[in-house]
């Protein structure tokens, strides 16, 4: 075995616990969120309380992800990754032991804060452990396992809540986080923080408002917004057309599975030069917007085609967006960039459903889908305009 093969094998072993960390944050987000209002004795029965608990987790991520991303650059991504996983386990144990409605709020806030630490740290490690030529494949694989967490979280969580209530689900979350932390401690190398040049607030503002940051982050936010809308509103659209819960649930599963399966292929296509990040992001936004347009069609056809295209478009965007960010970010600032990009995704996750709901309230859900589709189509239109301006200049 050559030195190159040995390095590749070591890198592969280090990547698996990072994939597991991505799965954990997704499983923690959706596994509990989808089952807080379930049918166990300790389920949440008030819609107001349910909404508050859902917002608490996401709110912690919005505020803290850039903070922990910056900390990962300062002290190293591995300590922040491990600390976040251990804190996630501790927050989960808190409710599993206390079994009190008041402690559920504390536990959910703690989980959100902990996920804010290990999620951007894992993304930064994915970038640093892989050469730039393999970033597409690395982020595609990471996104695949994260999407599996989103897909299986509600299902596995539902089984656990049915078997033993929310306390059992939180206990399993704690065990999972501890296991992943132990695995990462053994397999992920301790990459030393890279020396950094002095960065002023103005320098940071310039970097985070540059096109090279805003374009991929906006695409990632748009993809996340469409996914959130698809998961939340396609079942509503299907129910209005007379479809049962099995059909609408299958549509959501198709959306999540398609997004998961497309990501590794998109990453490999980027690494082999078959697509570029700029063209790929524009194509992904176009496909996602088309999916929202299909969701406007009545009946099962509209729901399934909408779910498939939204999943395919978002699956194309996710690895390309993160690879584009990694390509233009100094290695010593990867944590800060990934944390800020994750903030953009969280805003899309919240903003997409709010936009569709507001438009649907004023008119119908069909117009809500149309509004988000039109917003996502702005990116491809700008890309096409830029290409038309560039071609005459080159002639």
């Amino acid at each position: 075995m050559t030195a190159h093969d040995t390095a590749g094998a070591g890198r592969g072993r280090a990547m698996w616990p990072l994939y597991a960390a991505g799965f954990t944050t997704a499983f923690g987000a959706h596994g509990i969120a989808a089952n807080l209002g379930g049918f166990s004795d300790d389920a949440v029965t008030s819609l107001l309380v349910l909404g508050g608990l859902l917002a608490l987790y996401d709110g912690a991520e919005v505020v803290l992800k850039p903070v922990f991303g910056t900390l990962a650059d300062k002290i190293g991504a591995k300590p922040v990754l491990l600390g976040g996983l251990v804190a996630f386990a501790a927050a989960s144990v808190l409710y599993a032991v206390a079994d009190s409605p008041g402690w559920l709020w504390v536990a959910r806030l703690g989980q959100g804060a902990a996920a804010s630490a290990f999620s951007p740290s894992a993304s930064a490690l994915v970038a640093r452990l892989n050469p730039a030529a393999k970033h597409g494949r690395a982020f595609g694989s990471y996104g695949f396992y994260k999407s599996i967490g989103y897909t299986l979280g509600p299902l596995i969580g539902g089984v656990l809540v049915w078997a033993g209530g929310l306390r059992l689900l939180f206990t399993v979350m704690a065990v999972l986080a501890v296991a992943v932390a132990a695995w990462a401690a053994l397999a992920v190398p301790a990459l030393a923080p890279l020396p950094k040049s002095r960065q002023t607030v103005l320098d940071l503002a310039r970097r985070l408002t540059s096109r090279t940051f805003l374009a991929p982050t906006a695409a990632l936010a748009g993809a996340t917004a469409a996914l959130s809308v698809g998961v939340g509103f396609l079942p509503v659209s299907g129910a209005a057309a007379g479809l049962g819960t099995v059909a609408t649930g299958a549509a959501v599963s198709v959306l999540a599975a398609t997004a998961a399966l497309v990501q590794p292929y998109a990453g490999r296509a980027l690494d082999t030069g078959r697509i570029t990040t700029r063209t790929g992001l524009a194509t992904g936004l176009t496909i996602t917007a088309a999916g929202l347009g299909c969701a406007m069609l009545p009946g099962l056809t509209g729901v399934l085609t909408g779910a498939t295209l939204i999943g395919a478009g978002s699956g194309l965007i996710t690895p390309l967006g993160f690879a584009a960010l990694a390509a233009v970010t100094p290695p010593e600032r990867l944590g800060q960039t990934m944390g800020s990009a994750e903030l953009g995704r969280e805003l899309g996750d919240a903003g997409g459903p709010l936009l569709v709901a507001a438009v649907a309230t004023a008119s119908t859900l069909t117009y809500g889908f149309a509004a988000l589709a039109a917003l996502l189509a702005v990116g491809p239109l700008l890309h096409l305009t830029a290409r038309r301006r560039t071609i005459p200049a080159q002639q």
Side-chain angles (χ1 to χ4, degrees), residues 201-233:
V201 174
L202 183 58
D203 292 332
L204 175 62
R206 285 173 178 166
R207 186 157 60 84
L208 298 185
T209 55
S210 66
R211 187 187 181 285
T212 55
F213 175 83
L214 289 179
T217 302
L220 288 167
T224 307
L227 275 175
S228 185
V229 165
V231 171
F233 289 97

Side-chain angles (χ1 to χ4, degrees), residues 21-334:
F23 176 89
T24 301
T25 183
F27 184 65
H30 280 202
I32 293 177
N35 292 286
L36 282 172
F39 299 98
S40 66
D41 293 336
D42 52 354
V44 175
T45 55
S46 166
L47 290 177
L48 181 61
V49 172
L50 177 60
L53 287 169
L54 293 175
L56 195 63
Y57 187 97
D58 292 331
E61 291 192 306
V62 167
V63 173
L64 294 176
K65 276 186 173 180
V67 176
F68 282 116
T70 302
L71 181 64
D73 290 333
K74 185 175 182 180
I75 67 172
K78 183 176 179 178
V80 180
L81 173 76
L82 297 180
L85 287 166
V86 171
F88 189 91
S92 302
V93 167
L94 189 63
Y95 176 71
V97 173
D99 189 22
S100 162
W103 285 110
L104 179 59
W105 287 84
V106 178
R108 199 61 179 151
L109 178 62
Q111 286 182 328
S116 302
F118 69 80
S119 181
S121 301
S123 298
L125 284 166
V126 168
R128 284 198 63 185
L129 288 173
N130 291 273
K134 293 186 177 181
H135 275 172
R137 187 173 306 189
F139 280 110
S141 297
Y142 179 73
F144 170 80
Y145 288 102
K146 198 168 184 177
S147 294
I148 293 298
Y150 286 130
T151 305
L152 296 182
L155 175 62
I156 298 175
V159 172
L160 292 171
V161 169
W162 171 79
L166 284 175
R167 293 181 69 188
L168 177 59
L169 177 54
F170 274 79
T171 300
V172 171
M173 291 285 181
V175 173
L176 174 63
V178 168
V180 174
W183 190 8
L186 294 173
V188 176
L191 302 178
L194 296 173
K196 295 186 259 318
S197 57
R198 183 175 177 272
Q199 177 181 253
T200 65
V201 174
L202 183 58
D203 292 332
L204 175 62
R206 285 173 178 166
R207 186 157 60 84
L208 298 185
T209 55
S210 66
R211 187 187 181 285
T212 55
F213 175 83
L214 289 179
T217 302
L220 288 167
T224 307
L227 275 175
S228 185
V229 165
V231 171
F233 289 97
L234 282 178
V236 176
S237 181
L243 301 177
T245 55
V246 174
T248 55
V252 172
S253 297
V254 166
L255 187 156
T258 303
L261 292 173
V262 167
Q263 291 191 56
Y265 290 102
R268 283 195 289 270
L270 176 65
D271 291 343
T272 56
R274 285 177 287 165
I275 58 174
T276 64
T277 53
R278 190 173 180 182
T279 301
L281 291 176
T283 302
L285 286 170
T286 301
I287 295 172
T288 306
L292 289 165
C294 289
M296 298 165 61
L297 301 174
L300 183 62
T301 300
V303 172
L304 283 179
T305 55
T308 302
L309 290 176
I310 291 171
S314 61
L316 178 58
I317 290 168
T318 302
L320 301 189
F322 280 113
L325 290 168
V328 299
T329 301
E332 68 273 16
R333 304 288 183 190
L334 277 169

